[in-house]
Amino acid sequence: MRDLAAGMRYLGKGQRWVAQHGRWWGFGLIPALIALVLYAAVLTVLALWSGDIAAWATPFADGWGSPWQGLLRGVFVALLFAGGLMLSVLTFTAVTLLIGDPFYESLSEKVEQSEGHCPPAPDRPLWQEIWIALRDSVHVLLRAAGFGILLFALGFVPFLGQTVIPAIGFCVSGFFLAVELTSVAMQRRDIPVRERLRLLRGRKALAVGFGTPVVLLFLIPFVAVALMPGAVAGATLLVRDLVPDEEEPPAPDRGEAAAGHDPADGAPYGQPGAPYGRPGAPYGQQGAPAGFGAAPAPFPASQGQSPAPQRSPRPQSGPGPSAAHPPAAW
């Protein structure tokens, strides 16, 4: 549940980022508007020709009487248009990213720079970047289509097909949409598509929490266009936390220590390798515990001190010891 909520927060962070950088939001709208015009034209043609397509696909119903023929072909038209609409939702992101690859690459790079570090992009020409994006999108869409066919068949199961299966379908669509949206930042890190799928499968709740709200919002007309720049920005922030930072300094090896580099240099006080001597030895003492450690044992009387000076016997002015005054016994 924590990852699920974290994925939703990334979507909100992305929308907040583009709201604070309005110029980049407008910049990211351009490819989404182009894709919207293309999809609107295709769906309009599908709506106008859906009756003819239904008659062509159901020739066995030509001899049926009313109302059965009209009912069957009406259901077919509704399913055809609903399928086209769902396919549009699934492919809108891929097509938009393909059209706007230079746009969203610049947007994602700006997001990473604002967060402190942007990994350098691979040195490849633009046509090769577009070809890789197209190939990866086809790979993801084929996987999503396989799940879609399975879920479509399960949709005919009584009760489950009308309750559980649609919910699972939205989650599956959200996962693959998250794969598509994170492809911009992943491609900059030169991560292949199979490795992207593996990374997101390891954090399924995070991917579903990010992608499923996007799927639901994209069902609302024109919302996909307005949310697309923020979705790319949020996916970039998600990738920054999902993929380890490549700038983390490597740990010193034995070769460096042998060459004279002391791994204890710069270690925080009180930790193994602390200053004031070798690792775990405070104040230059060998073998003491880390940090302050136990107080060193006091020096013996014969070590660390100069011997006491020998006093010469005082000369006696009076007579020495006699029988009348014998020496005191111990």
Side-chain angles (χ1 to χ4, degrees):
M1 292 299 293
R2 183 178 301 175
D3 269 357
L4 196 67
M8 296 178 185
R9 284 197 297 270
Y10 279 118
L11 180 59
K13 289 178 182 179
Q15 301 302 327
R16 188 161 55 249
W17 191 93
V18 295
Q20 294 170 354
H21 302 78
R23 185 173 68 88
W24 286 97
W25 178 73
F27 185 73
L29 286 180
I30 298 173
L33 287 170
I34 296 173
L36 178 66
V37 172
L38 293 176
Y39 274 90
V42 172
L43 290 175
T44 301
V45 171
L46 181 63
L48 293 175
W49 291 88
S50 59
D52 295 335
I53 296 173
W56 170 82
T58 58
F60 55 86
D62 289 341
W64 290 12
S66 181
W68 305 113
Q69 185 189 72
L71 181 62
L72 174 66
R73 290 179 174 172
V75 170
F76 185 90
V77 168
L79 290 175
L80 180 65
F81 192 78
L85 188 61
M86 183 59 68
L87 187 63
S88 299
V89 171
L90 291 176
T91 59
F92 179 83
T93 302
V95 173
T96 304
L97 291 175
L98 189 63
I99 294 172
D101 184 77
F103 294 85
Y104 293 126
E105 177 62 35
S106 300
L107 172 62
S108 178
E109 184 177 352
K110 184 64 178 179
V111 173
E112 300 223 47
Q113 288 175 353
S114 69
E115 293 296 313
H117 166 61
C118 179
D123 188 13
R124 287 193 290 257
L126 178 61
W127 69 266
Q128 191 174 2
E129 292 284 341
I130 295 176
W131 165 250
I132 292 174
L134 176 61
R135 183 192 62 192
D136 293 348
S137 296
V138 170
H139 181 88
V140 173
L141 288 174
L142 288 176
R143 285 176 175 262
F147 280 96
I149 293 171
L150 177 62
L151 293 171
F152 179 78
L154 292 175
F156 293 99
V157 178
F159 182 72
L160 292 178
Q162 293 75 42
T163 55
V164 178
I165 299 303
I168 296 176
F170 279 116
C171 292
V172 171
S173 301
F175 175 84
F176 285 107
L177 188 59
V179 175
E180 287 287 350
L181 288 169
T182 55
S183 65
V184 178
M186 293 279 198
Q187 190 171 333
R188 184 185 305 110
R189 290 163 171 80
D190 209 13
I191 300 175
V193 63
R194 295 181 186 275
E195 181 65 15
R196 298 174 208 168
L197 288 166
R198 187 192 65 80
L199 286 171
L200 290 171
R201 277 200 304 266
R203 302 283 297 276
K204 289 187 185 71
L206 183 68
V208 170
F210 177 79
T212 304
V214 179
V215 171
L216 296 174
L217 290 171
F218 277 15
L219 293 175
I220 305 172
F222 305 107
V223 170
V225 177
L227 293 185
M228 192 65 189
V232 173
T236 302
L237 296 173
L238 186 150
V239 170
R240 286 178 61 86
D241 290 346
L242 184 65
V243 180
D245 188 5
E246 297 178 357
E247 281 211 335
E248 185 176 353
D253 54 10
R254 295 182 180 179
E256 292 177 339
H261 175 72
D262 190 355
D265 294 342
Y269 188 71
Q271 299 294 329
Y276 302 107
R278 310 304 305 163
Y283 301 100
Q285 306 252 345
Q286 187 72 25
F292 285 100
F299 289 106
S302 60
Q303 298 181 13
Q305 299 181 7
S306 59
Q310 300 291 330
R311 297 194 178 195
S312 59
R314 294 180 59 186
Q316 297 181 3
S317 58
S322 60
H325 301 281
W330 290 93

